[in-house]
Amino acid sequence: MNQKKLNDLQHYLQDNDIDWAYLSDPGHIAYFSGYNSDPHERILALFVPKAGDPFLFTPALEVEAAGESGFKYDIFGYLDSEKPFEIIANILKKRSNELSRFAFEKSSMNLKNFELFTEHFNGDFSFDLTPEIQKLQLFKTKDERDKLLEAGSWADVAFEIGFKAINENATESEIVAEIEYQLKKKGISQMSFDTMVLSGENAAKPHGEPGDTKMIPNKFVLFDLGVVWKGYCSDATRTVSFKEPSDFDRKIYDICLEAQLKAQEAVKPGITAAELDKVARDVISSYGYGEYFNHRLGHGIGTTCHEFPSLVAGNDLVIEEGMCFSLEPGIYIPEKVGVRIEDCVYVTKDGCIPFTKTPKTLQIID
């Protein structure tokens, strides 16, 4: 449980005269409460008042697990046969007389649940929590940084497993299965997103899906993966070559690597998110491949894999010590070659520390 961040959130509510915050995003709930769960279609919520104690609301089958998570305040559950928002309304009315100003995460609260909740109250429901939570998540504590480093070390283990699984008879999906099977044997129960292994031309699809394509000799294999460790995520990408690549493919790799390394070298307090994106983009553009780098340079990381900030043109957010984000330039030339190289980093007072250590020089898998 992150008591300091809960206190910070309450100070925000007090400063803005907001009676209650209703958190519905599972990643944000985990960030503040320490309880990590995917409720699927059920209701999972964290309610935080401007004064007094917060409480968790979970499906009945999760109450025990939530209690074991370290959350020290009240936990209420509901059965599938019950109406959760009626129960929530009754809890709130028993705990407080101030129920007219509520804040929600507008980026995650679905309209149906919003309507079911607000029909029990009269008041102002216009406050958006998302920007404030983004600010609170921007700066990682030492404990958070340590968990991100551990998650990164498990991503390195995943790369090692995946590289060893490459052979002419292995398909993309089979290598994904091998990575996740071996990690589960080692105690990793959850990946931070769907593991990506893409061979040959498929690597030129930034969000391609692994399938029955086999490893192609003299072509690249792109690995994009991460794990959840103690509630924190890793996210890293490596592109390797199955046997010797062509001179052209190697050139594309070298350009992407130069862009990634220069961006990483440029990270320091005082530079902006847009300027970092430009560092990598200028490298790729200088070689004539700018049109093939068709996404942002990076994104924040923490209890969820994609957090604020976005490292993209137009974002003048000033980078500061304690921020964590990815640096992942890519070059994707359709039906020819695709390369992406990614590390997530922690900003220090004069640079940054990557969470993953797998070498980024081109690895040839024989």
Side-chain angles (χ1 to χ4, degrees):
M1 192 182 83
N2 198 330
Q3 185 64 58
K4 180 183 182 305
K5 296 298 184 179
L6 274 171
N7 293 342
D8 290 342
L9 180 57
Q10 285 193 309
H11 291 152
Y12 166 79
L13 299 178
Q14 292 162 10
D15 290 344
N16 290 274
D17 194 25
I18 299 169
D19 298 325
W20 285 86
Y22 174 176
L23 279 70
S24 56
D25 182 283
H28 293 162
I29 292 171
Y31 178 70
F32 288 100
S33 72
Y35 180 54
N36 187 21
S37 173
D38 181 354
H40 302 291
E41 75 280 4
R42 296 183 173 95
I43 302 302
L44 174 68
L46 173 64
F47 286 88
V48 182
K50 67 180 178 184
D53 293 342
F55 68 87
L56 268 174
F57 186 79
T58 79
L61 53 86
E62 296 188 24
V63 170
E64 183 177 358
E68 294 171 351
S69 70
F71 186 72
K72 66 181 183 181
Y73 301 107
D74 289 339
I75 302 168
F76 300 94
Y78 78 99
L79 299 171
D80 289 346
S81 58
E82 296 179 305
K83 295 181 178 180
F85 291 103
E86 288 187 4
I87 298 173
I88 290 171
N90 288 332
I91 295 169
L92 287 168
K93 290 172 183 177
K94 288 179 181 179
R95 294 173 78 97
S96 176
N97 292 321
E98 296 184 282
L99 297 168
S100 61
R101 291 163 69 86
F102 290 90
F104 306 87
E105 302 154 287
K106 291 186 177 180
S107 62
S108 63
M109 184 73 170
N110 74 50
L111 181 58
K112 178 182 177 182
N113 289 342
F114 176 81
E115 290 176 342
L116 288 171
F117 175 80
T118 56
E119 70 181 20
H120 295 281
F121 303 96
N122 293 312
D124 186 348
F125 308 121
S126 64
F127 301 100
D128 184 8
L129 276 176
T130 300
E132 182 61 24
I133 292 175
Q134 288 176 337
K135 292 176 186 176
L136 291 175
Q137 287 184 314
L138 257 181
F139 301 99
K140 269 54 178 184
T141 64
K142 182 181 182 301
D143 178 64
E144 289 180 290
R145 181 193 63 190
D146 290 344
K147 289 174 181 176
L148 287 164
L149 280 166
E150 290 181 82
S153 70
W154 280 109
D156 288 326
V157 172
F159 283 134
E160 183 179 0
I161 295 167
F163 297 168
K164 288 181 178 178
I166 293 175
N167 64 74
E168 288 191 35
N169 294 316
T171 67
E172 297 165 339
S173 294
E174 287 169 345
I175 294 178
V176 169
E178 178 67 8
I179 291 170
E180 297 187 359
Y181 170 66
Q182 293 297 337
L183 287 177
K184 286 184 185 296
K185 287 175 64 176
K186 297 176 184 294
I188 299 298
S189 61
Q190 184 181 354
M191 307 303 287
S192 48
F193 54 93
D194 291 341
T195 302
M196 189 182 298
V197 177
L198 302 171
S199 176
E201 294 178 3
N202 290 342
K205 303 171 183 177
H207 283 168
E209 294 186 6
D212 58 6
T213 300
K214 292 185 176 181
M215 302 298 100
I216 304 168
N218 312 113
K219 291 292 184 181
F220 288 153
V221 187
L222 187 152
F223 291 78
D224 190 356
L225 51 80
V227 310
V228 178
W229 177 256
K230 297 181 180 179
Y232 283 77
C233 297
S234 55
D235 181 7
T237 306
R238 293 293 186 271
T239 304
V240 300
S241 185
F242 180 34
K243 303 187 182 301
E244 280 291 334
S246 68
D247 290 343
F248 177 77
D249 287 3
R250 183 184 286 273
K251 180 180 76 169
I252 296 300
Y253 186 93
D254 289 343
I255 294 169
C256 190
L257 178 59
E258 180 182 343
Q260 204 280 336
L261 292 175
K262 285 192 173 180
Q264 190 164 308
E265 291 168 1
V267 174
K268 60 182 178 181
I271 195 170
T272 68
E275 287 169 342
L276 277 177
D277 179 272
K278 188 174 185 298
V279 168
R281 204 165 299 278
D282 282 354
V283 171
I284 294 173
S285 295
S286 71
Y287 289 96
Y289 296 98
E291 66 182 291
Y292 301 110
F293 179 15
N294 53 17
H295 56 73
R296 63 188 174 181
L297 175 64
H299 55 79
I301 191 164
T303 55
T304 56
C305 193
H306 290 84
E307 292 186 355
F308 184 78
S310 182
L311 305 187
V312 66
N315 185 359
D316 294 326
L317 175 77
V318 176
I319 301 303
E320 298 182 53
E321 183 177 357
M323 292 182 181
C324 299
F325 46 75
S326 69
L327 301 167
E328 49 183 301
I331 302 174
Y332 315 97
I333 304 176
E335 300 181 359
K336 288 188 177 181
V337 62
V339 177
R340 182 165 65 253
I341 303 169
E342 173 189 14
D343 279 324
C344 289
V345 302
Y346 171 81
V347 182
T348 65
K349 63 181 180 181
D350 55 8
C352 68
I353 298 171
F355 296 130
T356 34
K357 311 299 184 185
T358 300
K360 288 180 283 195
T361 52
L362 182 59
Q363 295 193 50
I364 311 297
I365 308 297
D366 291 322

